[in-house]
Amino acid sequence: DTAVSQTPKYLVTQMGNDKSIKCEQNLGHDTMYWYKQDSKKFLKIMFSYNNKELIINETVPNRFSPKSPDKAHLNLHINSLELGDSAVYFCASSLGGPGGEQFFGPGTRLTVL
Amino acid sequence: GQNIDQPTEMTATEGAIVQINCTYQTSGFNGLFWYQQHAGEAPTFLSYNVLDGLEEKGRFSSFLSRSKGYSYLLLKELQMKDSASYLCALSGSARQLTFGSGTQLTVLP
């Protein structure tokens, strides 16, 4: 009955590699997000998709490319990984309208060696 | 832009009451959220305020003053399991959240 799921939970990889993180929500929400939480625990928005359309793209290197094949999925592909990409990446979703509670996935801990 | 300030750490005793403050500056206000995050886990929703005043939910209450750019989260009858990071967040025009750096609360026996 997982509401927002992410795979993988842990990802350890070498600098320069390309990797993907998958996110799925079964809540019927229309908006999905990617957040990055760094080593100092600061949680920052990266992308937001509403009905499969990109609506927020914060100052994120273009090595990061989100893809939303349908409203229930938002994947994150990262090219040419760098040491500074090491962080926990959280996917979240919400339903339209202000005050909509965002439900977060369990997070993907990415470690770049 | 948006700027959010909250204390880095707080300590309180089991059974006590603790108030976690959050001050903010924003060019457009769309609501203020409080989230709880236990170590190694995802943030979970606690409360949402868009109008001035107090919202109460069991042991947790949240207050908002838009004119002062100020909110607080009040936790009553503290329990050990309340030890966590508490995140104040502003909602943007596209419903994305801008988080403060979080307040790490430690509840002592």
Side-chain angles (χ1 to χ4, degrees):
Chain A
D1 273 56
T2 307
V4 183
S5 59
Q6 293 178 230
T7 54
K9 190 164 173 59
Y10 298 97
L11 188 51
V12 181
T13 188
Q14 300 285 335
M15 261 174 47
N17 284 351
D18 303 338
K19 291 292 177 187
S20 291
I21 306 172
K22 295 187 176 181
C23 177
E24 176 181 0
Q25 54 95 4
N26 62 5
L27 298 166
H29 287 170
D30 59 358
T31 306
M32 296 184 73
Y33 314 81
W34 277 110
Y35 290 88
K36 178 181 179 181
Q37 188 166 43
D38 60 26
S39 56
K40 294 182 180 173
K41 308 300 181 192
F42 187 56
L43 197 57
K44 188 171 166 59
I45 181 74
M46 298 174 72
F47 302 103
S48 171
Y49 269 73
N50 178 257
N51 289 318
K52 299 197 306 173
E53 281 193 36
L54 179 67
I55 54 172
I56 289 281
N57 182 352
E58 290 294 315
T59 311
V60 177
N62 57 15
R63 298 182 294 105
F64 291 78
S65 51
K67 289 231 171 19
S68 182
D70 55 57
K71 286 199 301 184
H73 296 84
L74 180 62
N75 304 323
L76 184 65
H77 189 75
I78 316 170
N79 288 329
S80 304
L81 278 155
E82 300 177 357
L83 292 176
D85 298 332
S86 294
V88 180
Y89 293 84
F90 286 101
C91 176
S93 71
S94 69
L95 194 55
E101 173 187 347
Q102 288 191 19
F103 289 79
F104 283 77
T108 296
R109 182 174 291 278
L110 171 65
T111 303
V112 182
L113 303 174
Chain B
Q2 297 177 317
N3 189 45
I4 301 170
D5 286 309
Q6 49 181 133
T8 305
E9 295 176 327
M10 296 185 73
T11 303
T13 306
E14 200 175 8
I17 298 173
V18 71
Q19 178 175 312
I20 303 175
N21 296 325
C22 170
T23 57
Y24 65 87
Q25 294 94 40
T26 181
S27 51
F29 184 78
N30 294 290
L32 187 140
F33 288 80
W34 284 95
Y35 277 78
Q36 179 191 60
Q37 186 177 26
H38 284 100
E41 297 183 9
T44 54
F45 170 82
L46 289 177
S47 69
Y48 169 70
N49 294 72
V50 67
L51 299 176
D52 289 354
L54 190 68
E55 294 280 342
E56 296 187 77
K57 255 192 193 182
R59 294 189 300 116
F60 291 16
S61 305
S62 57
F63 172 83
L64 175 69
S65 168
R66 287 172 296 171
S67 62
K68 295 182 179 175
Y70 169 67
S71 173
Y72 68 71
L73 180 70
L74 194 70
L75 293 77
K76 301 175 189 172
E77 300 168 17
L78 278 173
Q79 302 174 8
M80 299 298 289
K81 68 179 182 179
D82 296 330
S83 290
S85 181
Y86 290 85
L87 307 168
C88 175
L90 289 171
S91 181
S93 56
R95 287 179 271 136
Q96 80 283 16
L97 295 176
T98 299
F99 285 91
S101 54
T103 298
Q104 184 63 46
L105 174 66
T106 302
V107 180
L108 302 174

